Amino acid sequence: MALQYKIDVLQEIKDKGYNTNTLRKDKLLAESTIQKLRDKQPISWANISQICKLLNCQPSDFLEYVED
């Protein structure tokens, strides 16, 4: 995979005051997305947009391109 996470996204979201129960309950991120973030797997553009909204950031703040 050429794109990888530069930071622990879930920890950053937690630092902003959200926990995984809130994310699921308020339908901010699905359980499957939360699990993908834990496993450092790719997520959809819609979820990247949601994370940017939650963290008030740009995708480049938490994603980077690394050559294989």
Side-chain angles (χ1 to χ4, degrees):
M1 178 170 77
L3 284 178
Q4 45 184 15
Y5 298 101
K6 295 178 3 181
I7 62 171
D8 183 341
V9 177
L10 288 177
Q11 184 60 49
E12 290 294 319
I13 291 172
K14 183 179 178 182
D15 292 347
K16 289 283 186 177
Y18 299 97
N19 62 38
T20 55
N21 288 330
T22 302
L23 294 174
R24 286 189 301 265
K25 185 179 118 198
D26 294 345
K27 297 182 181 179
L28 300 172
L29 292 173
E31 177 60 36
S32 60
T33 302
I34 293 168
Q35 190 58 47
K36 285 180 181 182
L37 289 169
R38 283 186 186 124
D39 295 339
K40 308 289 189 223
Q41 294 179 345
I43 57 174
S44 71
W45 284 111
N47 287 313
I48 291 171
S49 294
Q50 182 66 11
I51 290 169
C52 288
K53 183 178 176 182
L54 292 171
L55 297 179
N56 190 29
C57 69
Q58 296 295 315
S60 62
D61 293 334
F62 62 92
L63 290 172
E64 68 181 337
Y65 175 78
V66 177
E67 285 213 33
D68 292 333

